[in-house]
Amino acid sequence: MKVVRAVGLWAVGVSCLWGAGLTAVLAQTEDVNDMPGASIVRRFRPPQVDLVRFQPMPADHRLLNEPKIKLLARKDGYEFCSRITGAPISATSRPMACAYWNVKRRECTVVTPEVTGFNYVGHEVRHCFEGAFHD
Amino acid sequence: MIDAPVLAVPRMRSLDRRQCLKMALGLAWAGPAVTTSAQSIKPRMKVGFIAHYQPYSFLQADGSLTGFDVEVVKALLDASGFEMVPVTDSLTQLRKKLRDSEIDFIGNQLLRTPENRRQFDFVNSYATIQLVTVLHEDDDRDFLSLENFLGKNLGVLSNTGIDEQARGVLGKTVRGFERIEDALRALAERKLDAVLEENLIAEYFIERDELPLKVGTPFAAPIRAGLAVPKGNKNLENRLNEAVKNLVKAPRFKAISSRWFGYDVSRPRVSFATGV
């Protein structure tokens, strides 16, 4: 499995959720087994409640099966996500992560601020499999 | 894909009880705007379409009208027991015709701008339209803002809002094209780094011309748009809203959408998670 070096262990942690079902690729790629702390990450299992929440639907119900997923952690993550989704930035709420996908090419990109949370990334990665599932 | 004529030829049939009921319901549905033809068993609705607006509505070489919006509106009216009578013209003339009650509604999704909202009411959208970057299919670069195009060759449609905005940030490195298909062809030939365009227009030309391109990063939030109905005609607006809601879940819509764009365009292609 290949992951983005720029996001380091974040990508590893998220990728572990889906095991072989998730193939994250990027321009700069590296085998997770060669990365520092790989043995710890391999043993990591998220809490069961998160597994349920982030578990994508069975393959035949997904919008993108076996998508290529790119993770981008950016300084302007909040502003970028607000701009492409229309979600406002206010004192009480702001987009903590966002995703966009190309159905035909089975490609998906998750964008976050530099500091984010496992739950936000997991939620967006689920979108990478299922597309828009909120309604 | 674009050769299939969409205009149904009215056929003479005897009216059975179900058809009479359908016609009566149809008349009640849209009130005085509906007309009936001696040749047709269905009530008819005059729908205005922009004559040259690929891929949404356009006249083919043989004079027949086709397009994504044309097929969707026909499906909406079919499901509601109406026959569509298309009227083609420029957008300016269609606005005038709608105001003068010469057509029942505009069959293209117009932007919900303040000016348009003063004149018309809008039906909920059946397609997600968004400004996006278009890249060569082999290009893995991430252009997430206009500043990322500094020193790059960006193609846009001339004399549009994005043309003006891009030139404001990037200056003369922005190349304007009179036709977006020419910009996409230049990108396919690697004469440009990227093109900014609406996702569905880009998807259509990529499919139609089999271009080695891909739709990439969104540049703005999805555009709010919808079919324009006469101001205050809540009955028509509500009925079309209901028809849109049902149609986007139906296999017929997915087939139309896939034929024009290669996938179901009724669903958003962006998502977000909020927090503090």
Side-chain angles (χ1 to χ4, degrees):
Chain A
M1 183 184 300
K2 302 286 179 124
V3 296
V4 184
R5 186 177 179 78
V7 294
L9 292 181
W10 266 117
V12 180
V14 173
S15 300
C16 284
L17 270 178
W18 288 279
L22 170 63
T23 306
V25 294
L26 254 198
Q28 284 189 321
T29 58
E30 185 173 333
D31 195 307
V32 293
N33 296 306
D34 298 334
M35 296 177 75
S39 61
I40 298 170
V41 170
R42 272 200 300 272
R43 287 198 300 275
F44 173 75
R45 290 292 177 272
Q48 193 63 32
V49 62
D50 283 346
L51 268 177
V52 172
R53 189 175 168 192
F54 303 151
Q55 191 71 46
M57 295 171 84
D60 58 343
H61 286 74
R62 294 175 191 166
L63 183 68
L64 285 75
N65 198 19
E66 297 185 7
K68 287 192 289 183
I69 300 177
K70 184 185 285 189
L71 292 166
L72 299 175
R74 290 174 58 94
K75 281 183 182 172
D76 64 349
Y78 300 117
E79 292 78 13
F80 174 81
C81 288
S82 177
R83 176 160 57 83
I84 71 156
T85 65
I89 297 174
S90 70
T92 55
S93 177
R94 58 186 172 177
M96 303 297 285
C98 58
Y100 54 91
W101 50 89
N102 184 322
V103 177
K104 285 192 291 185
R105 296 179 60 84
R106 291 190 301 162
E107 292 175 352
C108 183
T109 303
V110 176
V111 179
T112 71
E114 288 183 318
V115 177
T116 184
F118 170 80
N119 51 335
Y120 301 124
V121 178
H123 181 90
E124 293 311 314
V125 172
R126 186 179 156 197
H127 278 290
C128 289
F129 287 90
E130 295 180 29
F133 57 77
H134 284 299
D135 49 0
Chain B
M1 177 176 70
I2 59 173
D3 295 323
V6 296
L7 306 185
V9 178
R11 287 178 294 176
M12 184 77 90
R13 288 188 211 158
S14 60
L15 291 176
D16 61 18
R17 188 167 165 238
R18 181 185 295 270
Q19 287 164 336
C20 281
L21 182 61
K22 205 180 255 186
M23 183 185 287
L25 285 171
L27 287 166
W29 191 61
V34 177
T35 56
T36 55
S37 161
Q39 292 181 306
S40 170
I41 53 147
K42 288 182 177 178
R44 309 170 86 189
M45 291 199 93
K46 286 186 178 175
V47 186
F49 291 99
I50 302 170
H52 305 287
Y53 187 27
Q54 287 189 62
Y56 301 113
S57 58
F58 56 99
L59 295 166
Q60 299 179 102
D62 64 0
S64 61
L65 179 67
T66 189
F68 173 64
D69 286 341
V70 177
E71 291 192 25
V72 169
V73 170
K74 186 173 185 307
L76 287 173
L77 295 184
D78 278 351
S80 308
F82 284 84
E83 182 187 338
M84 181 177 81
V85 180
V87 175
T88 54
D89 214 325
S90 66
L91 180 57
T92 306
Q93 287 303 312
L94 290 177
R95 288 168 183 271
K96 186 173 178 301
K97 285 178 176 172
L98 186 57
R99 279 196 299 269
D100 296 345
S101 301
E102 291 177 35
I103 55 175
D104 295 307
F105 64 92
I106 295 177
N108 299 108
Q109 298 199 103
L110 303 190
L111 297 181
R112 295 187 186 212
T113 60
E115 186 196 346
N116 282 341
R117 293 179 73 170
R118 275 193 294 277
Q119 295 182 54
F120 314 116
D121 286 329
F122 287 89
V123 176
N124 292 334
S125 178
Y126 48 79
T128 300
I129 302 170
Q130 201 163 15
L131 186 66
V132 294
T133 55
V134 185
L135 302 174
H136 200 278
E137 65 180 5
D138 301 331
D139 193 341
D140 279 331
R141 291 176 294 178
D142 295 299
F143 295 111
L144 272 60
S145 68
L146 277 178
E147 288 74 14
N148 292 158
F149 288 108
L150 282 168
K152 306 288 191 301
N153 292 313
L154 177 64
V156 295
L157 191 63
S158 292
N159 303 314
T160 57
I162 190 61
D163 184 11
E164 188 180 333
Q165 199 179 340
R167 286 180 196 280
V169 175
L170 304 170
K172 291 180 179 174
T173 59
V174 177
R175 281 186 59 190
F177 290 81
E178 293 300 321
R179 303 185 327 149
I180 199 63
E181 50 265 55
D182 295 336
L184 295 172
R185 195 160 294 283
L187 178 61
E189 293 166 0
R190 299 182 190 275
K191 293 174 182 169
L192 296 171
D193 290 286
V195 168
L196 287 181
E197 182 51 71
E198 274 183 23
N199 60 324
L200 297 190
I201 292 174
E203 297 274 23
Y204 166 70
F205 283 113
I206 291 171
E207 285 272 307
R208 190 195 72 171
D209 299 342
E210 297 180 352
L211 298 172
L213 305 178
K214 64 179 178 183
V215 165
T217 309
F219 243 69
I223 295 166
R224 290 173 57 77
L227 302 175
V229 299
K231 194 81 182 166
N233 191 340
K234 288 293 166 195
N235 193 22
L236 179 58
E237 181 190 341
N238 292 339
R239 294 292 183 157
L240 283 173
N241 272 333
E242 190 64 24
V244 167
K245 188 175 143 189
N246 293 330
L247 182 67
V248 294
K249 295 177 196 159
R252 184 171 180 184
F253 179 86
K254 289 175 176 37
I256 293 170
S257 180
S258 296
R259 202 162 56 249
W260 286 96
F261 306 112
Y263 68 104
D264 180 356
V265 300
S266 68
R267 310 292 295 149
R269 57 182 294 271
V270 295
S271 65
F272 62 93
T274 54
V276 180

PDB file of all heavy atoms in Angstrom, chain B residues 31-54:
ATOM      1  N   GLY B  31     -53.164  24.883 -15.096  1.00  0.00           N
ATOM      2  CA  GLY B  31     -54.108  25.960 -15.305  1.00  0.00           C
ATOM      3  C   GLY B  31     -54.147  26.445 -16.737  1.00  0.00           C
ATOM      4  O   GLY B  31     -53.985  25.661 -17.668  1.00  0.00           O
ATOM      5  N   PRO B  32     -54.297  27.739 -16.926  1.00  0.00           N
ATOM      6  CA  PRO B  32     -54.551  28.251 -18.270  1.00  0.00           C
ATOM      7  C   PRO B  32     -53.360  28.157 -19.207  1.00  0.00           C
ATOM      8  O   PRO B  32     -53.502  28.327 -20.402  1.00  0.00           O
ATOM      9  CB  PRO B  32     -54.913  29.712 -18.012  1.00  0.00           C
ATOM     10  CG  PRO B  32     -54.318  30.037 -16.679  1.00  0.00           C
ATOM     11  CD  PRO B  32     -54.343  28.764 -15.900  1.00  0.00           C
ATOM     12  N   ALA B  33     -52.168  27.892 -18.672  1.00  0.00           N
ATOM     13  CA  ALA B  33     -50.988  27.838 -19.537  1.00  0.00           C
ATOM     14  C   ALA B  33     -51.011  26.618 -20.443  1.00  0.00           C
ATOM     15  O   ALA B  33     -50.327  26.571 -21.446  1.00  0.00           O
ATOM     16  CB  ALA B  33     -49.722  27.811 -18.699  1.00  0.00           C
ATOM     17  N   VAL B  34     -51.804  25.626 -20.093  1.00  0.00           N
ATOM     18  CA  VAL B  34     -51.792  24.381 -20.847  1.00  0.00           C
ATOM     19  C   VAL B  34     -52.706  24.480 -22.055  1.00  0.00           C
ATOM     20  O   VAL B  34     -53.803  24.998 -21.975  1.00  0.00           O
ATOM     21  CB  VAL B  34     -52.268  23.228 -19.943  1.00  0.00           C
ATOM     22  CG1 VAL B  34     -52.343  21.932 -20.727  1.00  0.00           C
ATOM     23  CG2 VAL B  34     -51.339  23.088 -18.769  1.00  0.00           C
ATOM     24  N   THR B  35     -52.216  23.978 -23.175  1.00  0.00           N
ATOM     25  CA  THR B  35     -53.040  23.933 -24.368  1.00  0.00           C
ATOM     26  C   THR B  35     -53.167  22.492 -24.813  1.00  0.00           C
ATOM     27  O   THR B  35     -52.321  21.662 -24.496  1.00  0.00           O
ATOM     28  CB  THR B  35     -52.411  24.754 -25.506  1.00  0.00           C
ATOM     29  OG1 THR B  35     -51.102  24.247 -25.717  1.00  0.00           O
ATOM     30  CG2 THR B  35     -52.354  26.221 -25.147  1.00  0.00           C
ATOM     31  N   THR B  36     -54.216  22.194 -25.538  1.00  0.00           N
ATOM     32  CA  THR B  36     -54.364  20.838 -26.068  1.00  0.00           C
ATOM     33  C   THR B  36     -54.423  20.905 -27.572  1.00  0.00           C
ATOM     34  O   THR B  36     -54.804  21.906 -28.156  1.00  0.00           O
ATOM     35  CB  THR B  36     -55.643  20.159 -25.543  1.00  0.00           C
ATOM     36  OG1 THR B  36     -56.746  20.990 -25.848  1.00  0.00           O
ATOM     37  CG2 THR B  36     -55.567  19.914 -24.057  1.00  0.00           C
ATOM     38  N   SER B  37     -54.038  19.833 -28.192  1.00  0.00           N
ATOM     39  CA  SER B  37     -54.022  19.768 -29.644  1.00  0.00           C
ATOM     40  C   SER B  37     -55.039  18.739 -30.102  1.00  0.00           C
ATOM     41  O   SER B  37     -55.237  17.713 -29.457  1.00  0.00           O
ATOM     42  CB  SER B  37     -52.625  19.358 -30.104  1.00  0.00           C
ATOM     43  OG  SER B  37     -52.690  18.883 -31.416  1.00  0.00           O
ATOM     44  N   ALA B  38     -55.635  19.030 -31.243  1.00  0.00           N
ATOM     45  CA  ALA B  38     -56.582  18.065 -31.789  1.00  0.00           C
ATOM     46  C   ALA B  38     -55.878  16.776 -32.175  1.00  0.00           C
ATOM     47  O   ALA B  38     -56.467  15.720 -32.230  1.00  0.00           O
ATOM     48  CB  ALA B  38     -57.264  18.672 -33.005  1.00  0.00           C
ATOM     49  N   GLN B  39     -54.556  16.885 -32.444  1.00  0.00           N
ATOM     50  CA  GLN B  39     -53.812  15.715 -32.885  1.00  0.00           C
ATOM     51  C   GLN B  39     -53.257  14.932 -31.703  1.00  0.00           C
ATOM     52  O   GLN B  39     -52.720  13.859 -31.888  1.00  0.00           O
ATOM     53  CB  GLN B  39     -52.652  16.147 -33.781  1.00  0.00           C
ATOM     54  CG  GLN B  39     -53.097  16.717 -35.109  1.00  0.00           C
ATOM     55  CD  GLN B  39     -51.887  17.085 -35.948  1.00  0.00           C
ATOM     56  OE1 GLN B  39     -51.026  17.816 -35.494  1.00  0.00           O
ATOM     57  NE2 GLN B  39     -51.838  16.555 -37.151  1.00  0.00           N
ATOM     58  N   SER B  40     -53.326  15.474 -30.523  1.00  0.00           N
ATOM     59  CA  SER B  40     -52.665  14.847 -29.399  1.00  0.00           C
ATOM     60  C   SER B  40     -53.660  14.567 -28.285  1.00  0.00           C
ATOM     61  O   SER B  40     -54.583  15.331 -28.057  1.00  0.00           O
ATOM     62  CB  SER B  40     -51.566  15.780 -28.869  1.00  0.00           C
ATOM     63  OG  SER B  40     -51.087  15.286 -27.661  1.00  0.00           O
ATOM     64  N   ILE B  41     -53.410  13.447 -27.599  1.00  0.00           N
ATOM     65  CA  ILE B  41     -54.275  13.134 -26.485  1.00  0.00           C
ATOM     66  C   ILE B  41     -53.759  13.751 -25.197  1.00  0.00           C
ATOM     67  O   ILE B  41     -54.455  13.780 -24.206  1.00  0.00           O
ATOM     68  CB  ILE B  41     -54.402  11.610 -26.312  1.00  0.00           C
ATOM     69  CG1 ILE B  41     -53.006  11.007 -26.215  1.00  0.00           C
ATOM     70  CG2 ILE B  41     -55.212  11.010 -27.423  1.00  0.00           C
ATOM     71  CD1 ILE B  41     -52.926   9.825 -25.347  1.00  0.00           C
ATOM     72  N   LYS B  42     -52.534  14.210 -25.226  1.00  0.00           N
ATOM     73  CA  LYS B  42     -51.954  14.779 -24.008  1.00  0.00           C
ATOM     74  C   LYS B  42     -52.095  16.290 -24.005  1.00  0.00           C
ATOM     75  O   LYS B  42     -52.005  16.920 -25.060  1.00  0.00           O
ATOM     76  CB  LYS B  42     -50.462  14.453 -23.938  1.00  0.00           C
ATOM     77  CG  LYS B  42     -50.122  13.019 -23.629  1.00  0.00           C
ATOM     78  CD  LYS B  42     -48.615  12.902 -23.561  1.00  0.00           C
ATOM     79  CE  LYS B  42     -48.174  11.504 -23.191  1.00  0.00           C
ATOM     80  NZ  LYS B  42     -46.700  11.409 -23.185  1.00  0.00           N
ATOM     81  N   PRO B  43     -52.273  16.877 -22.820  1.00  0.00           N
ATOM     82  CA  PRO B  43     -52.153  18.333 -22.752  1.00  0.00           C
ATOM     83  C   PRO B  43     -50.718  18.716 -23.081  1.00  0.00           C
ATOM     84  O   PRO B  43     -49.786  17.953 -22.821  1.00  0.00           O
ATOM     85  CB  PRO B  43     -52.505  18.649 -21.298  1.00  0.00           C
ATOM     86  CG  PRO B  43     -52.309  17.392 -20.557  1.00  0.00           C
ATOM     87  CD  PRO B  43     -52.522  16.264 -21.511  1.00  0.00           C
ATOM     88  N   ARG B  44     -50.546  19.886 -23.641  1.00  0.00           N
ATOM     89  CA  ARG B  44     -49.211  20.268 -24.124  1.00  0.00           C
ATOM     90  C   ARG B  44     -48.673  21.434 -23.302  1.00  0.00           C
ATOM     91  O   ARG B  44     -49.441  22.277 -22.834  1.00  0.00           O
ATOM     92  CB  ARG B  44     -49.292  20.674 -25.593  1.00  0.00           C
ATOM     93  CG  ARG B  44     -50.004  19.647 -26.445  1.00  0.00           C
ATOM     94  CD  ARG B  44     -50.277  20.165 -27.834  1.00  0.00           C
ATOM     95  NE  ARG B  44     -49.134  19.939 -28.695  1.00  0.00           N
ATOM     96  CZ  ARG B  44     -49.022  20.448 -29.914  1.00  0.00           C
ATOM     97  NH1 ARG B  44     -49.940  21.233 -30.402  1.00  0.00           N
ATOM     98  NH2 ARG B  44     -47.962  20.185 -30.644  1.00  0.00           N
ATOM     99  N   MET B  45     -47.399  21.463 -23.166  1.00  0.00           N
ATOM    100  CA  MET B  45     -46.748  22.597 -22.495  1.00  0.00           C
ATOM    101  C   MET B  45     -45.663  23.140 -23.409  1.00  0.00           C
ATOM    102  O   MET B  45     -44.839  22.380 -23.923  1.00  0.00           O
ATOM    103  CB  MET B  45     -46.124  22.162 -21.171  1.00  0.00           C
ATOM    104  CG  MET B  45     -47.152  21.792 -20.127  1.00  0.00           C
ATOM    105  SD  MET B  45     -46.450  21.819 -18.467  1.00  0.00           S
ATOM    106  CE  MET B  45     -46.862  23.463 -17.990  1.00  0.00           C
ATOM    107  N   LYS B  46     -45.681  24.437 -23.562  1.00  0.00           N
ATOM    108  CA  LYS B  46     -44.656  25.085 -24.379  1.00  0.00           C
ATOM    109  C   LYS B  46     -43.447  25.366 -23.495  1.00  0.00           C
ATOM    110  O   LYS B  46     -43.558  26.073 -22.483  1.00  0.00           O
ATOM    111  CB  LYS B  46     -45.192  26.379 -24.964  1.00  0.00           C
ATOM    112  CG  LYS B  46     -46.173  26.170 -26.092  1.00  0.00           C
ATOM    113  CD  LYS B  46     -46.550  27.505 -26.712  1.00  0.00           C
ATOM    114  CE  LYS B  46     -47.487  27.307 -27.876  1.00  0.00           C
ATOM    115  NZ  LYS B  46     -47.959  28.605 -28.412  1.00  0.00           N
ATOM    116  N   VAL B  47     -42.328  24.800 -23.883  1.00  0.00           N
ATOM    117  CA  VAL B  47     -41.112  24.934 -23.084  1.00  0.00           C
ATOM    118  C   VAL B  47     -40.036  25.623 -23.920  1.00  0.00           C
ATOM    119  O   VAL B  47     -39.758  25.190 -25.043  1.00  0.00           O
ATOM    120  CB  VAL B  47     -40.588  23.552 -22.610  1.00  0.00           C
ATOM    121  CG1 VAL B  47     -39.411  23.722 -21.671  1.00  0.00           C
ATOM    122  CG2 VAL B  47     -41.703  22.758 -21.935  1.00  0.00           C
ATOM    123  N   GLY B  48     -39.473  26.669 -23.372  1.00  0.00           N
ATOM    124  CA  GLY B  48     -38.448  27.418 -24.095  1.00  0.00           C
ATOM    125  C   GLY B  48     -37.056  26.851 -23.858  1.00  0.00           C
ATOM    126  O   GLY B  48     -36.680  26.566 -22.718  1.00  0.00           O
ATOM    127  N   PHE B  49     -36.309  26.659 -24.942  1.00  0.00           N
ATOM    128  CA  PHE B  49     -34.921  26.182 -24.837  1.00  0.00           C
ATOM    129  C   PHE B  49     -33.997  27.119 -25.605  1.00  0.00           C
ATOM    130  O   PHE B  49     -34.358  27.581 -26.699  1.00  0.00           O
ATOM    131  CB  PHE B  49     -34.781  24.773 -25.437  1.00  0.00           C
ATOM    132  CG  PHE B  49     -35.459  23.702 -24.641  1.00  0.00           C
ATOM    133  CD1 PHE B  49     -36.709  23.238 -25.025  1.00  0.00           C
ATOM    134  CD2 PHE B  49     -34.860  23.159 -23.510  1.00  0.00           C
ATOM    135  CE1 PHE B  49     -37.352  22.246 -24.299  1.00  0.00           C
ATOM    136  CE2 PHE B  49     -35.497  22.168 -22.785  1.00  0.00           C
ATOM    137  CZ  PHE B  49     -36.745  21.709 -23.169  1.00  0.00           C
ATOM    138  N   ILE B  50     -32.821  27.344 -25.041  1.00  0.00           N
ATOM    139  CA  ILE B  50     -31.804  28.120 -25.758  1.00  0.00           C
ATOM    140  C   ILE B  50     -31.376  27.298 -26.975  1.00  0.00           C
ATOM    141  O   ILE B  50     -31.111  26.097 -26.868  1.00  0.00           O
ATOM    142  CB  ILE B  50     -30.605  28.424 -24.843  1.00  0.00           C
ATOM    143  CG1 ILE B  50     -31.074  29.207 -23.595  1.00  0.00           C
ATOM    144  CG2 ILE B  50     -29.533  29.208 -25.592  1.00  0.00           C
ATOM    145  CD1 ILE B  50     -30.021  29.356 -22.530  1.00  0.00           C
ATOM    146  N   ALA B  51     -31.298  27.949 -28.126  1.00  0.00           N
ATOM    147  CA  ALA B  51     -31.099  27.219 -29.379  1.00  0.00           C
ATOM    148  C   ALA B  51     -29.678  26.681 -29.552  1.00  0.00           C
ATOM    149  O   ALA B  51     -29.476  25.669 -30.211  1.00  0.00           O
ATOM    150  CB  ALA B  51     -31.465  28.117 -30.558  1.00  0.00           C
ATOM    151  N   HIS B  52     -28.696  27.372 -28.958  1.00  0.00           N
ATOM    152  CA  HIS B  52     -27.298  26.948 -29.154  1.00  0.00           C
ATOM    153  C   HIS B  52     -26.594  26.918 -27.808  1.00  0.00           C
ATOM    154  O   HIS B  52     -25.946  27.899 -27.423  1.00  0.00           O
ATOM    155  CB  HIS B  52     -26.583  27.911 -30.119  1.00  0.00           C
ATOM    156  CG  HIS B  52     -27.290  28.068 -31.417  1.00  0.00           C
ATOM    157  ND1 HIS B  52     -27.294  27.080 -32.381  1.00  0.00           N
ATOM    158  CD2 HIS B  52     -28.053  29.075 -31.903  1.00  0.00           C
ATOM    159  CE1 HIS B  52     -28.017  27.487 -33.409  1.00  0.00           C
ATOM    160  NE2 HIS B  52     -28.491  28.689 -33.143  1.00  0.00           N
ATOM    161  N   TYR B  53     -26.765  25.860 -27.064  1.00  0.00           N
ATOM    162  CA  TYR B  53     -26.239  25.804 -25.711  1.00  0.00           C
ATOM    163  C   TYR B  53     -25.833  24.361 -25.400  1.00  0.00           C
ATOM    164  O   TYR B  53     -26.458  23.662 -24.611  1.00  0.00           O
ATOM    165  CB  TYR B  53     -27.331  26.293 -24.739  1.00  0.00           C
ATOM    166  CG  TYR B  53     -26.934  26.473 -23.306  1.00  0.00           C
ATOM    167  CD1 TYR B  53     -25.624  26.760 -22.944  1.00  0.00           C
ATOM    168  CD2 TYR B  53     -27.884  26.386 -22.299  1.00  0.00           C
ATOM    169  CE1 TYR B  53     -25.274  26.936 -21.617  1.00  0.00           C
ATOM    170  CE2 TYR B  53     -27.549  26.565 -20.969  1.00  0.00           C
ATOM    171  CZ  TYR B  53     -26.249  26.832 -20.640  1.00  0.00           C
ATOM    172  OH  TYR B  53     -25.914  27.001 -19.316  1.00  0.00           O
ATOM    173  N   GLN B  54     -24.748  23.929 -26.056  1.00  0.00           N
ATOM    174  CA  GLN B  54     -24.272  22.552 -25.831  1.00  0.00           C
ATOM    175  C   GLN B  54     -23.704  22.422 -24.428  1.00  0.00           C
ATOM    176  O   GLN B  54     -23.011  23.312 -23.971  1.00  0.00           O
ATOM    177  CB  GLN B  54     -23.170  22.211 -26.852  1.00  0.00           C
ATOM    178  CG  GLN B  54     -23.698  22.000 -28.252  1.00  0.00           C
ATOM    179  CD  GLN B  54     -22.601  21.464 -29.157  1.00  0.00           C
ATOM    180  OE1 GLN B  54     -22.080  20.391 -28.918  1.00  0.00           O
ATOM    181  NE2 GLN B  54     -22.253  22.210 -30.179  1.00  0.00           N
TER     182      GLN B  54
END
